[in-house]
Amino acid sequence: SRLRGPVGHQAAGAGRPLRYRGGRSGQEEEEEEEASGGDGRRLKSLIAAKCELREVSALFSSLPPSLERLDLKGNNFRLAAMEAFSARWLPVLMSVDLSDNPLGPLGVRALAEGLYTPLQSLRLARVGAKKEGVKGLAEALKEKRVSSLQTLDLAENQMGPEGFEDLVDALCTAGAVPEMRNLNLKRNNLIKFDEVTG
């Protein structure tokens, strides 16, 4: 599939985080938008965890290019949402948390197509990546498109031994992730049973 680069926009200034927690008045949201720069160009952090956003693909096309941190865990995102996200990768995004979304292998592969520096933290715990999704992510790492990555969370993704092998191969590729410091692979059944018993 065709690789896509980040959108060509420049971030402007520093702003305070905007949190979507649900049940808020339009006036409250407008006040926070004004505080962050009015048109959203100064917004640095968006926290919209467990907001039942589901397949809101329009959300990703409207995110301001100044975003550095994006927390969207627990929103029931699937393949379509990840295709929309990767098609318009944010140019200064450094932290993404999509844990607890049923992305599945295809969703993770779609996300991987959009990954680019300066991303430093990628959290994909419990997204159903399995070996196919991890393979897609490993390919992005081997291509050195996220050499800035420092934290990778793939806990509880049923990647199995094959997915683990693909990931290790990518992590051991010279220059792929030289800044990697934190890797979470818990509860993934990484070793074949016959290797343990034999």
Side-chain angles (χ1 to χ4, degrees):
S1 56
R2 184 170 60 88
L3 300 179
R4 306 177 181 91
V7 292
H9 296 283
Q10 175 140 7
R16 75 186 202 184
L18 176 62
R19 297 172 179 263
Y20 288 110
R21 292 299 188 191
R24 309 193 37 195
S25 69
Q27 181 177 355
E28 288 176 318
E29 292 180 356
E30 288 177 3
E31 289 174 354
E32 288 207 6
E33 183 180 359
E34 290 177 2
S36 66
D39 57 4
R41 287 181 299 176
R42 297 179 61 191
L43 189 65
K44 298 296 183 184
S45 180
L46 173 60
I47 302 172
K50 299 181 181 179
C51 286
E52 299 183 7
L53 297 174
R54 300 183 184 278
E55 294 296 338
V56 187
S57 299
L59 167 70
F60 297 107
S61 63
S62 62
L63 292 175
S66 58
L67 273 179
E68 296 177 356
R69 180 190 177 205
L70 190 57
D71 183 347
L72 295 173
K73 58 178 174 285
N75 275 299
N76 204 33
F77 289 135
R78 299 176 187 270
L79 172 60
M82 293 303 97
E83 288 177 334
F85 187 22
S86 64
R88 187 181 178 275
W89 193 254
L90 301 170
V92 295
L93 193 60
M94 293 190 291
S95 177
V96 178
D97 191 344
L98 288 163
S99 299
D100 299 306
N101 283 287
L103 306 183
L106 294 179
V108 173
R109 290 187 72 95
L111 173 67
E113 290 184 7
L115 296 179
Y116 279 91
T117 56
L119 189 66
Q120 296 178 359
S121 176
L122 179 61
R123 298 188 180 277
L124 297 172
R126 299 171 297 278
V127 298
K130 300 186 178 180
K131 65 178 182 181
E132 296 87 355
V134 172
K135 182 177 179 63
L137 180 59
E139 291 170 357
L141 298 180
K142 289 184 72 172
E143 292 170 2
K144 304 178 183 180
R145 288 189 279 117
V146 278
S147 57
S148 54
L149 198 63
Q150 298 177 10
T151 296
L152 178 60
D153 185 354
L154 289 171
E156 302 178 57
N157 270 296
Q158 301 175 299
M159 69 173 68
E162 292 100 344
F164 181 52
E165 290 174 6
D166 288 331
L167 182 62
V168 169
D169 186 39
L171 295 175
C172 292
T173 299
V177 281
E179 304 299 323
M180 181 68 73
R181 299 291 182 271
N182 305 293
L183 180 62
N184 187 355
L185 301 177
K186 69 178 183 181
R187 297 183 182 178
N188 269 297
N189 300 320
L190 304 180
I191 302 175
K192 293 180 180 179
F193 183 72
D194 58 355
E195 292 179 354
V196 175
T197 58

